[in-house]
Amino acid sequence: MTAAKLDVHRLSGDSLRSIAAGGASEADLRLLRSAQRSQLLLVLRALLDRVDETARSTRHPGGVSGQTAWQLLCTVEERAPEALESVLADPTVMAWALRLLRRLSGSVAGTPSAAPLWADLGQFHALAAAAALRAGVPCALRVPAHRGMVWLPGAGMAGPVARRRWSEAEIRVDAAGAVVNGELGELALPRIRPARLPGWLPLRMLRDEDGVTELGPWLDTVSPYRDFTRYPRSPDRSDDGRLQVWETRLAAAYALLDRESPAEAATLRALVRALVPRSLSKAERGLVASASSLDAFGVITLSLPHDETQTAAILVHETRHQQLNALLSLVELVRTPVDSDGVSTGRRLHYAPWRSDPRPVGGLLHGVFAFAGVGRFWLTHRRHVTGTEARRADLEFAVLREQLREAVAALLTDEDLTEQGRLFVGEIAHLVAAWQDDEVAAAPAALAHHYCALRRAVWRARHLEIPTSVADRFARAWAAGAAAPALPPSTLRPRPDLIRLDTFGPLARLRLSAPAAFARRRRQADKAGEPALRAGYAAVAGDAEQAALGYAEWTAQDPWDPEAWIGAVLALPDPAWRADAALLLDRPEAVVGVLRALAAAGGGCPAPDELARWLGGNSA
């Protein structure tokens, strides 16, 4: 905040390799944090140049002075620097600052703020008031109130002190604490605020399983800028009982990481400051929604995982995203190609095995780095557990090592990786290669192989195609009884409208981790009579006969759904599909294209596996 000489952040090649391999040192993590703090200060300084000018031309209830806020922050830094750091450590401060800076710059990126401009500007005063209160520096500032609630970054929300959706309040700070004054009256806040206080909604500090030691982050259900897509948000009024479920689950996950993956636990504590519950409902079908954002370094948002092991894996995953976001502010791993006018041009899109949509190289890099961390977590976890938990860990590890091997190979072919990017990905490739010889139990290994092949083939059927003219030529050759011409390369045509929720993965996890529940639900699915669901349960159970019947019924209901054909092939023993209809897995988009061309020409609709044999040159 002062005019002291700025540090220059430099990352060595050794540090880049260490981070890529998952071995970031304490010094590396400290550098990433420091670089993000510097970025925040630069954003605040950029706002300072714009806030006063904008405030003078904006109709609002009171005056906003960026200079006043800045000078107060400088005073706090001089008297109690730890107080300022505590406030700036709130990740939602960066979220507010970046969004406001874009708003003032006329950027259309992201979701527009629902706050009036004067209120977004006024949060500069709220930031300064929060720092002053923590340091005991006297001041009096006008701040915005959303539905009567006043934001104190790094601490919580005070109120309600007003009834209207947007209004102004005054904060008066002295050495003893603060008084927040609004339309409904006054609210006194002591400088040292207890966890429970009428009119005060604090950030809840996470503690260990004994409820004694602070774990580092807080559970944020109150900050107005805690949401990555919608802001400002009102505080969540969840009762203590429901929040206690979150706190217990998270504390158990931290304890698990401390025991089994201390390096991941250290990175989590160093980089993650806040955890934001997305939903207080349990994860559906084993799927957890989680996210990180470039706008909010240090905050993870997630829905409630079903146990501490899944919670730990999610925390590792999102911490890797945090780490890479911070790293990319220091090192260019992916170059951004631009045309002669400086406009970004389209990049090559890739298959990301854990996603249903095609991804650019930057997105694939994020996924590779995040899932490399999760893969290492499962590799370690399976050495600490037995029984169904070991089979579950085997499945997760086996899936990720196969997916990562494919994704890393694709990344290394992309010309948009810089020299540093290739070094970074090369380290991950070396790590993943070392995993390929790890022994995995037979049942999890078979399910993992099936799952990866299914996802890959379904993705191709959805997002790749052969040219219509080529498909027509193949249709004419089929109708004439001629041999199939050589297949040309396919082209990418993203079809997000065809994406459906994955079912095989959750069923495979259920079979291994809760076999009795899987058997019960399979019986229920058989009674329900839905062919796709019956086929899926049978395939996961390894019941090839019932899977074949289910897939046949599915195909009869919807002859144009390639997922049914692909599932039917994969339900066969390996030698059968490898010799008979491998093209349905390797090039399903070609089968789809030729079938549609035949139907359009009135040439009938042959069985997909029969057409696949012909396309593959294996027709009798």
Side-chain angles (χ1 to χ4, degrees), residues 88-177:
L88 294 182
D90 185 339
T92 62
V93 172
M94 176 68 96
W96 156 75
L98 278 172
R99 291 164 182 172
L100 177 56
L101 186 60
R102 293 193 194 104
R103 185 174 186 176
L104 297 180
S105 302
S107 171
V108 295
T111 305
S113 174
L117 181 55
W118 67 263
D120 260 352
L121 296 169
Q123 301 294 14
F124 217 144
H125 280 190
L127 177 65
L133 174 58
R134 192 174 287 269
V137 175
C139 68
L141 293 171
R142 304 291 294 178
V143 295
H146 179 223
R147 302 190 187 281
M149 304 298 294
V150 171
W151 180 39
L152 292 174
M157 299 286 285
V161 294
R163 292 190 180 92
R164 289 180 291 158
R165 184 180 180 192
W166 288 102
S167 59
E168 273 203 320
E170 183 186 52
I171 297 182
R172 298 191 305 275
V173 177
D174 58 25

Side-chain angles (χ1 to χ4, degrees), residues 61-228:
V64 176
S65 170
Q67 288 291 341
T68 297
W70 186 268
Q71 289 303 317
L72 182 55
L73 289 170
C74 291
T75 300
V76 171
E77 184 183 38
E78 292 173 2
R79 298 187 186 180
E82 70 286 350
L84 177 64
E85 293 306 315
S86 295
V87 174
L88 294 182
D90 185 339
T92 62
V93 172
M94 176 68 96
W96 156 75
L98 278 172
R99 291 164 182 172
L100 177 56
L101 186 60
R102 293 193 194 104
R103 185 174 186 176
L104 297 180
S105 302
S107 171
V108 295
T111 305
S113 174
L117 181 55
W118 67 263
D120 260 352
L121 296 169
Q123 301 294 14
F124 217 144
H125 280 190
L127 177 65
L133 174 58
R134 192 174 287 269
V137 175
C139 68
L141 293 171
R142 304 291 294 178
V143 295
H146 179 223
R147 302 190 187 281
M149 304 298 294
V150 171
W151 180 39
L152 292 174
M157 299 286 285
V161 294
R163 292 190 180 92
R164 289 180 291 158
R165 184 180 180 192
W166 288 102
S167 59
E168 273 203 320
E170 183 186 52
I171 297 182
R172 298 191 305 275
V173 177
D174 58 25
V179 174
V180 183
N181 195 336
E183 297 169 348
L184 297 181
E186 291 187 346
L187 172 65
L189 294 176
R191 184 177 168 192
I192 306 300
R193 292 169 296 286
R196 294 180 178 275
L197 184 71
W200 175 242
L201 297 176
L203 297 167
R204 296 170 66 109
M205 296 301 300
L206 281 178
R207 298 181 182 274
D208 63 11
E209 293 178 295
D210 297 326
V212 177
T213 305
E214 290 186 355
L215 294 174
W218 55 65
L219 197 64
D220 186 353
T221 61
V222 300
S223 298
Y225 297 91
R226 69 188 185 276
D227 194 300
F228 297 157

Side-chain angles (χ1 to χ4, degrees), residues 235-252:
D236 188 332
R237 299 287 181 169
S238 301
D239 60 72
D240 284 346
R242 299 181 77 185
L243 288 176
Q244 185 61 46
V245 174
W246 273 93
E247 292 173 331
T248 301
R249 186 71 43 81
L250 289 165

Side-chain angles (χ1 to χ4, degrees), residues 504-580:
F504 190 94
L507 291 182
R509 293 178 177 96
L510 182 65
R511 179 196 164 190
L512 294 177
S513 60
F518 174 83
R520 182 176 65 254
R521 294 184 189 181
R522 184 185 175 189
R523 290 192 295 270
Q524 294 169 349
D526 288 343
K527 291 178 181 178
E530 183 183 342
L533 193 56
R534 289 202 345 263
Y537 270 101
V540 170
D543 188 340
E545 182 179 353
Q546 290 300 312
L549 290 173
Y551 285 121
E553 290 181 38
W554 183 357
T555 302
Q557 282 188 359
D558 187 357
W560 295 105
D561 192 338
E563 191 170 349
W565 322 333
I566 293 164
V569 172
L570 282 168
L572 297 170
D574 271 8
W577 68 255
R578 288 186 190 281
D580 195 33

